[in-house]
Amino acid sequence: MPRPGELTLVPARRGKPPRHLADLDVDARRQAVAELGEQPFRADQLSRHYFARHVNDPAQMTDVPAAVRDTLAATMLPTLTTAVRHLETDGGTTRKTLWRLFDGALVESVLMRYTGDRPRVTLCVSSQAGCGMNCPFCATGQQGLTRNMSAAEIVEQVVAAERMLAAGEIAGGTGRVTNVVFMGMGEPLANYKAVVTAVRRMTDPAPSGLGIGRRGVTVSTVGLVPAIDKLAAAHLGVRLALSLHAPDDELRDELVPVNTRWKVGEALDAARAYFEKTGRRVSIEYALIREINDHAWRGDLLGKLLNERGRGWVHVNPIPLNPTPGSKWTASRPEDEAAFVAALEERGVPVTIRDTRGSDIDGACGQLATVGD
Ligand code: SAH
């Protein structure tokens, strides 16, 4: 367990996951296949199987000669993730899956189908095994960082979700992943390169990638300012969410220890610049913790800081605190939550309270942890 306030920005060195088609762009895939002594167009066939059909079983690749199928699949599409178990709730529309990676590291992803006026299927993915950011109210943060995930390990979570949906395993019929949120385990911007590659694979049209709409992808960060700037310049078209949790440095230093490096003002400036460069409205995540950060004056101060940076560029997503093992903190009282929201609305800031979906299977925000499994 990390000591209070301790940050791990770079993981200890560990073995790398096997290389996979999803780590490579189209040219590199062709080159890799050529290095195996095969025709480069075989790479395009593999891409169609994996990214368009979500197939990695060589037996189903009938357009590839039987003699080379197994070799190609073993070297280009190695098994990266194995499902350890699934937990379901909300009548089978929410499913949390625990995955074992090649070296035994464990991560989780959560698939959620929403019906109603904005039907969608959202997958919450992990980008690191564990997390080095050490936020005291987050179960993953308390577990510490094991290692970065590769781009393909991240993408595999989406492909697996597509398979579950196609097989009708998620209540509500068959379907496709429409949204991906980097709100599972890990700090995505501390694993910048793999995350950007994974986003490209998710959003490139098939067969180069999975063809998920760019606006459907959200990267959530504690506020690694240089990486936010880099992400804005990368023109990926994805949405940004900033985990703020406090509008004042004194409290945020405690709740989000990376605040000792990049202060509230710097994180908000970077978020505003992200909006300016990309035109994408930023969300501010704010876990409401009873008598810790849920005071109306903090809602008011947050509204003031956001408005100082302009109007119409941001909305606030309060998240009722989800319980985590060993934490003394609990969710805000309804009246305090309402007063906090009202303070923001009085300043004209749009607010949407996030649901606590999956909390009964420890699948909600901040509850993903693989210690003790
Ligand atoms: N590391 C990234 C992404 C993962 S967390 C980040 O921090 O943004 C996704 C969101 O859940 C973050 O806003 C995080 O602060 C929030 N969260 C963590 N623990 C929580 C808890 N116990 N209750 C509610 N939200 C929590």
Side-chain angles (χ1 to χ4, degrees):
M1 263 222 314
R3 288 187 303 274
E6 185 185 16
L7 292 172
T8 312
L9 287 161
V10 181
R13 284 181 78 90
R14 309 236 323 185
K16 272 197 168 179
R19 186 195 63 182
H20 184 281
L21 193 74
D23 291 312
L24 307 175
D25 64 21
V26 168
D27 286 343
R29 291 174 207 169
R30 289 187 185 134
Q31 203 184 323
V33 166
E35 279 162 17
L36 293 169
E38 292 302 322
Q39 297 282 347
F41 78 90
R42 299 273 175 233
D44 305 337
Q45 291 178 310
L46 293 178
S47 294
R48 272 195 295 279
H49 287 298
Y50 185 73
F51 289 104
R53 299 177 59 218
H54 315 128
V55 158
N56 60 355
D57 170 13
Q60 292 183 48
M61 301 179 187
T62 50
D63 55 346
V64 181
V68 295
R69 256 184 238 164
D70 289 345
T71 322
L72 280 177
T75 45
M76 300 298 291
L77 296 166
T79 302
L80 298 177
T81 56
T82 311
V84 178
R85 65 150 193 260
H86 306 291
L87 288 177
E88 287 176 9
T89 184
D90 302 318
T93 58
T94 300
R95 175 191 270 195
K96 178 172 88 160
T97 304
L98 174 68
W99 301 103
R100 178 177 291 114
L101 308 181
F102 86 105
D103 57 351
L106 297 169
V107 299
E108 293 183 308
S109 57
V110 187
L111 185 54
M112 294 161 277
R113 184 196 291 270
Y114 295 84
T115 50
D117 47 338
R118 215 159 58 83
R120 61 199 189 279
V121 177
T122 299
L123 181 71
C124 180
V125 294
S126 294
S127 56
Q128 298 181 309
C131 184
M133 297 299 110
N134 204 5
C135 302
F137 56 90
C138 175
T140 316
Q142 289 314 291
Q143 143 180 12
L145 179 61
T146 303
R147 71 165 169 88
N148 280 333
M149 294 174 73
S150 67
E153 285 174 327
I154 299 170
V155 171
E156 269 279 276
Q157 297 168 75
V158 187
V159 172
E162 295 282 24
R163 288 186 193 123
M164 293 175 196
L165 286 160
E169 292 172 22
I170 307 302
T174 56
R176 296 293 306 264
V177 174
T178 56
N179 297 70
V180 175
V181 296
F182 282 82
M183 298 184 187
M185 302 176 76
E187 166 50 43
L189 295 188
N191 184 15
Y192 183 86
K193 204 159 161 255
V195 164
V196 167
T197 301
V199 168
R200 291 195 204 283
R201 296 301 166 264
M202 291 174 197
T203 57
D204 279 355
S208 170
L210 292 166
I212 294 170
R214 290 156 173 258
R215 286 156 203 254
V217 177
T218 301
V219 173
S220 178
T221 178
V222 290
L224 306 184
V225 165
I228 294 175
D229 295 344
K230 219 157 74 169
L231 189 69
H235 295 295
L236 289 178
V238 297
R239 292 181 179 277
L240 179 76
L242 172 66
S243 294
L244 198 70
H245 308 307
D248 51 307
D249 286 319
E250 197 185 343
L251 179 57
R252 194 167 190 264
D253 281 349
E254 188 190 338
L255 295 182
V256 186
V258 83
N259 197 67
T260 54
R261 300 260 183 120
W262 295 286
K263 296 291 169 196
V264 169
E266 293 170 277
L268 291 178
D269 287 345
R272 166 74 204 187
Y274 189 88
F275 166 76
E276 258 157 48
K277 285 208 192 94
T278 63
R280 297 273 180 270
R281 207 162 72 141
V282 172
S283 357
I284 302 290
E285 296 162 283
Y286 199 107
L288 282 170
I289 314 176
R290 183 165 170 172
E291 286 169 9
I292 299 290
N293 66 351
D294 60 356
H295 315 87
W297 71 262
R298 283 200 159 92
D300 184 64
L301 175 58
L302 175 58
K304 177 170 168 281
L305 295 176
L306 298 178
N307 287 342
E308 277 171 4
R309 290 167 174 79
R311 299 273 175 158
W313 68 279
V314 69
H315 71 276
V316 177
N317 245 198
I319 317 169
L321 187 80
N322 293 304
T324 60
S327 167
K328 52 187 188 289
W329 289 326
T330 177
S332 300
R333 283 180 288 257
E335 60 270 30
D336 295 333
E337 176 180 303
F340 182 89
V341 169
L344 279 164
E345 285 175 341
E346 248 160 60
R347 290 214 177 246
V349 176
V351 182
T352 330
I353 301 209
R354 175 154 327 148
D355 65 16
T356 51
R357 236 176 127 136
S359 57
D360 49 343
I361 53 167
D362 283 350
C365 302
Q367 293 187 313
L368 303 187
T370 49
V371 167
D373 275 306

